[in-house]
Structures are given as structure tokens and as C-alpha cells.
Amino acid sequence: MAVLLVILLNLVVTLLFFQREDKHNFLFSPYAISQNEGYRGWIYAHFSHANWMHLLFNMITFYFFAPVIVEQMGPIFMLALYGVAGLASDLAVYAMRHKDPRYACLGASGSVSGILFASIILYPQMELYLMFIPIGIPGPVFAIAYLALSFYMARRGGDGVSHEAHIGGALAGLAVTAVMAPAGLQPLFAEIQRLLTF
């Protein structure tokens, strides 16, 4: 139920974004926040998406990985993590972009990255599949590659994707789950050791 609630909220806000003329009120502008403005956009941006593909990609990822968290940690933890990862993604974006009045972003990618990384911490034996890659990628390997690529792309820039948000959300998901999960990082370390000795 909690998973479907989040998806429905993202769908409703995205539909509003598509129909409204005041689209700036659905965007997170770090510069505006630095000027004590744009708070409505800061909130709405966590649930609004640029287009159907953007929404679909985020919600499919969320749909497949959030249940891992709900099953092991409960729906309240999952919802709280979604919010914390979103805030962490905002902090990362703000730290790097608050002096740029032209920069704005939207989407649930930061929160979804947090959910993805939390699920890898809780169930590190999982394998992830990407389009055009016919073999499963071990969760820990995917996590390392995801962060490395995100840092590289954030530094390079110019592709219209808020990689800073992905990094902030992913690290928040990792840190919060490592602290709150009963087994901490032990399952992850055990899986990494297994992969290295395979």
C-alpha cells in the first residue's frame, strides 16, 4: 500500500505539472532557495517529472526495489527513507548549484536512488539487469559502478541530468540503512567477500 501511495502521489503531481502554466513552481531551484524563495517548487519537485519516460523510469525502479525495504524494515521506514534521501539529494544539488540562477531540476531520482541503495544493503545478493546487458549485475558491483559513473557525470556535466541528486540520495540510502538495519553492513561485506573469492 505504501509503495502504491508514493507512485500515485508522483503520478498526480506530474499530471499537474504537465497541465499548469506556472511550471517554475514545480522545479527545485537552489539559487531561489538561497534567496529565500522557491519553497513550493522545492517540495513539488520531489514528485514532478519532465515527461512520461522520466516518470516511468523512476516509478518502475521504485516499484521493484521499495518492497525489499517494506518487507525487511516496514512501510514507515521506507516512506521516511524516501523523504530523507530526497532531502539529501537536495543538499547535494544545493551545495554545487546554489550560485547558478539558471539551474533547476525536478524528479524523484534522488529519493529512488536512496531506495535502490537501501535495498542493496538489505539484500546484497540481488542481481540487477539493465537494457542491452543480458547478464545480472551483482548488487554491490552495481552500487560501486553507479556511484563512480554519477561522480564522473556530475563533474563533466552538460547532459541535463542532476547527477548530484543521484549521489546525495544514494549515499543517504546507504548510510541510513546501514545504521538502522539490524545486521548493518555485515550482509553487504559478506557478499563482497563472496564475490571476491568466487
Side-chain angles (χ1 to χ4, degrees):
M1 190 66 177
V3 174
L4 295 179
L5 178 64
V6 171
I7 293 174
L8 180 61
L9 184 57
N10 275 271
L11 176 61
V12 169
V13 176
T14 298
L15 286 172
L16 287 173
F17 172 71
F18 289 167
Q19 296 173 358
R20 296 286 289 268
E21 294 184 4
D22 59 334
K23 294 194 184 312
H24 66 279
N25 284 324
F26 292 80
L27 301 174
F28 172 47
S29 168
Y31 179 80
I33 296 297
S34 75
Q35 302 300 306
N36 203 29
E37 300 172 353
Y39 291 104
R40 187 192 304 180
W42 173 45
I43 300 300
Y44 288 170
H46 287 278
F47 307 99
S48 51
H49 293 79
N51 51 54
W52 286 113
M53 188 59 66
H54 188 201
L55 174 69
L56 189 64
F57 183 80
N58 274 336
M59 293 302 99
I60 286 176
T61 304
F62 178 78
Y63 178 79
F64 279 111
F65 293 100
V68 175
I69 302 167
V70 172
E71 182 180 341
Q72 295 198 37
M73 301 292 290
I76 300 301
F77 178 85
M78 187 276 292
L79 292 172
L81 181 64
Y82 184 94
V84 169
L87 291 175
S89 70
D90 291 341
L91 287 173
V93 172
Y94 183 87
M96 299 190 69
R97 302 288 188 172
H98 69 278
K99 294 183 180 179
D100 185 355
R102 299 171 300 173
Y103 183 88
C105 62
L106 78 170
S109 300
S111 294
V112 173
S113 293
I115 295 295
L116 172 61
F117 269 63
S119 68
I120 292 173
I121 296 297
L122 293 170
Y123 183 48
Q125 300 86 0
M126 73 168 62
E127 292 186 340
L128 294 92
Y129 290 84
L130 301 175
M131 273 189 283
F132 311 117
I133 300 179
I135 60 172
I137 304 171
V141 175
F142 179 89
I144 293 169
Y146 182 93
L147 282 176
L149 181 62
S150 294
F151 274 107
Y152 170 76
M153 296 300 289
R155 185 169 184 177
R156 190 183 74 167
D159 62 354
V161 176
S162 183
H163 297 286
E164 300 89 346
H166 297 172
I167 295 167
L171 292 178
L174 191 158
V176 171
T177 308
V179 171
M180 298 299 294
L185 291 173
Q186 288 182 352
L188 178 66
F189 291 151
E191 180 62 15
I192 291 173
Q193 184 177 19
R194 186 190 73 80
L195 290 171
L196 291 175
T197 55
F198 179 71

